[in-house]
Amino acid sequence: MVIKQQSVNSKFKLNLILKITQAINENLSIDELLQQYKHILFNDLKIGKIAVYKFSSRWEKLLVSGISKECIDKIKIGKHLSSISEITYVSRDLPEVFWSFDFIIPVIHKNSVLAYILIGDIDEEMEGMSPAIRHLSFIQTISNIIIVAMENKRLYKQLLIQEAFKKEMELASKIQNLLIPNQSSLPQNQYISTCGYYQPHFEIGGDYYDFINFNDQELGFCIGDVSGKGIPAALIMSNFQATLRALFRPETPLDELMVQLNQKVCDNSSSEKFLTFFIGIYNYTTRKLKYVNASHHPPLLYNFVNGETTLLKKGCIGLGMLNEIPAISIGEITINEHSKLLCYTDGLIELERDDQMEVGVQFLTKTFATQKNISDTFTDLIHHIDIGKKNKTVIDDISLFGIEFKTTQM
C-alpha cells in the first residue's frame, strides 16, 4: 500500500513538472507562469501561505497570498535572510515577521540565491503530515524551474534591449563621425596642411572639431569639449555644431559670435553643462590668425625657424558657464614664418604614459615642438602617447587637430 501511494505521489509530481515545462516551452509570459505556479502550490499541493521574493537588481515580491499586508511590509529579505542557503525551518530564532511561515526555501542559481520561497499552512489543525513538510524538496524543485525560467526571460529581454541600444549607438556613432572631418576632407593646399584625430571614450562623445573653408582666402576652424561624456554630452555637442555652422561667418566679429553661441548653449543645456571652446579664422593672404579661447586648453603654436612655442590663451570664460560673458579678448597673431599649430581636448593630456604619469602639457609640448612636418608629428603623437581604443588609461574623449602653415618659398 505504501509503495502504491509512493508511486501515485511520484506520478503526481511528474505530471506537475510536465505541466510546468510545457508552460515554459509554450513561451508563456512571466505573469502567466506565476499564475501556473500559484495554482500548483495552492490547488495541487494545498499550501496555504506563500510569499515569493526574487532578486534581480534588488529584492522584489513576485507572489504573496494568505499573509497580511502588515506582515509582508515588515519583511526585509536582504537584511533578514542573506545567510540562509538551504531549506530552513522557521524557528523563534528568526525575527517575528517570519513566524507566520513554516519554512524558508532558497532557490539557488549559479551558486547564488536567486529567490526565497516562504511557505506555511492555513489550517494548522489538519490531520496527517503538513503539505509544507511533505512537499518541501518538490516545492524547491518546481520553484527553481519556474523562477530560473523567469530569470532567463528577463535576461533575454534585457539582451534584446541591449542589442537594440547597441545598434542605435552604432548608428549614432556613424552619424556623429559624419560631423567630424575625416582626413580626406581636411584642408590641404599651398598655404596649409592639416591632420586630425577623434576618439570618443564611449561610442559617442562630447568632443568636436571642424574646419570651414569660407572662400579662397579665409579658413575657419574650431575645437570644443562639453563637460562630461557619453550621450548627454554628444547631444549638446551635436546641437552646438549645427548652431555654429549656421552662425560662423568671416564677416561676423568673433566677440559677437561668442555672445550668440553662449546664449544658444545656455538655452539648450542644463546649468551644469558647459563647453570649453577655441575658434579661429586664418587669412591665407595676410597670414593673420584671429582667435578666441573660451577656457579651452591653449593650442600650441610652434615656429620652425626660431624653435619657440606660443600658447594661444586670449579669450573668455567657457560657453554656458554664465548667462552673459563678462569680457571677451580677441587674439591676433601674424604667422610670417613656417609654423604649426596643435589644438586638443583634455582627454589627451589626461592619458597615462608607460611611467603611469599623465601626458600633461609639458610632455605634449616636447613631443610636438620638433622640426617634423604636421603629418609626421601626428604619427609620433599617436605612437608615443599610445592613443587608441585598447589603451585602458583612456578616461575621456580625445580630439586633436594640427595645422602646418607653409611659407611662400615652400
Side-chain angles (χ1 to χ4, degrees), residues 211-228:
F211 288 90
I212 302 176
N213 284 302
F214 292 122
N215 48 57
D216 293 339
Q217 299 300 317
E218 294 170 297
L219 172 72
F221 58 91
C222 65
I223 190 167
D225 184 2
V226 176
S227 58

Side-chain angles (χ1 to χ4, degrees), residues 295-352:
S295 295
H296 198 78
H297 285 287
L300 308 174
L301 181 64
Y302 174 75
N303 188 317
F304 282 92
V305 178
N306 58 28
E308 292 182 355
T309 301
T310 304
L311 300 180
L312 306 187
K313 297 180 178 180
K314 285 190 176 181
C316 59
I317 63 172
L319 300 179
M321 290 183 174
L322 295 174
N323 289 330
E324 294 184 5
I325 301 176
I328 302 172
S329 297
I330 300 176
E332 184 171 332
I333 186 169
T334 301
I335 305 176
N336 286 322
E337 297 176 326
H338 185 200
S339 303
K340 58 183 177 181
L341 178 73
L342 178 68
C343 299
Y344 59 93
T345 57
D346 57 8
L348 178 63
I349 58 173
E350 289 171 359
L351 277 172
E352 288 184 0

